[in-house]
Amino acid sequence: MEKSLELKLLEILSDNSRLEAEELSVMLGVDADTIRNTIDRLEKEKVICGYNTLIDWDKVHDDDVTAMVELRVTPQGGEGYDKIAEKISSFPQVDTLYLMSGAYDFLVTVKGRSIKEVSLFVSGKLAQIDEVQSTTTHFTLSKYKELGVLFKSKKTDERMLVSP
């Protein structure tokens, strides 16, 4: 079965959202107005939720800190995890929030200017939420790949070859 135009368009945009409607129309074999209308509809339906630029911040400044924080929580009442997720996601330090299966309930990506700043946020804000039972914080040391993009490629060996 052939993929729908919508699915093909989304796959292309997920790799490169900077393509113009005219370029997309050539790639997909439909007119540019159809592409524009489809994109507009997908944005209104919140299928396309935004457009981001992936930046290797280590090349700009190397003093930012990213941490992955595992949270174990106890959901209260009928609202379950949604109410807790709303509280957690309201903090500007929270970059990403996932409900997980397994040993913990939420995985939170937190960004800050220093390890101390992130640690104070986790202990002073996240851990203080009533439903939070425990936190485990993992600080990232190096980023190799994000959203399918390689950040660190193999370095070429610049040593001089010596033969026996």
Side-chain angles (χ1 to χ4, degrees), residues 76-143:
Q76 303 295 319
E79 297 174 358
Y81 294 107
D82 292 341
K83 183 178 178 185
I84 303 167
E86 191 176 315
K87 285 181 192 178
I88 296 167
S89 62
S90 70
F91 293 110
Q93 296 90 336
V94 173
D95 185 62
T96 306
L97 174 63
Y98 297 109
L99 178 63
M100 305 294 290
S101 64
Y104 54 93
D105 301 302
F106 287 105
L107 179 65
V108 186
T109 304
V110 176
K111 295 196 176 191
R113 301 294 295 164
S114 67
I115 289 176
K116 183 176 183 176
E117 182 181 301
V118 171
S119 298
L120 289 172
F121 169 72
V122 171
S123 63
K125 299 291 184 185
L126 288 182
Q128 298 303 315
I129 297 172
D130 291 336
E131 296 86 356
V132 172
Q133 293 176 3
S134 66
T135 67
T136 303
T137 304
H138 307 274
F139 290 97
T140 59
L141 303 177
S142 189
K143 182 187 334 182

Side-chain angles (χ1 to χ4, degrees), residues 7 13 38-39 46 52 70 72 78 80 82 87 113 134 138 143 147 157:
L7 184 57
L13 288 175
T38 303
I39 291 172
K46 298 289 185 200
N52 293 306
E70 301 171 2
R72 292 188 69 217
D82 292 341
K87 285 181 192 178
R113 301 294 295 164
S134 66
H138 307 274
K143 182 187 334 182
L147 299 173
D157 190 351

Side-chain angles (χ1 to χ4, degrees), residues 5 7 19 24 31 36 41 47-48 51 57 63 66 68 70 73 82 90 103 120 125 127 131-132 149 153 155 157 163:
L5 167 67
L7 184 57
L19 293 171
L24 292 164
D31 63 281
R36 280 189 279 277
R41 180 179 52 77
V47 173
I48 297 175
Y51 300 91
W57 286 109
D63 55 351
T66 302
M68 306 296 182
E70 301 171 2
V73 302
D82 292 341
S90 70
L120 289 172
K125 299 291 184 185
E131 296 86 356
V132 172
V149 177
S153 59
K155 292 183 180 179
D157 190 351
S163 57

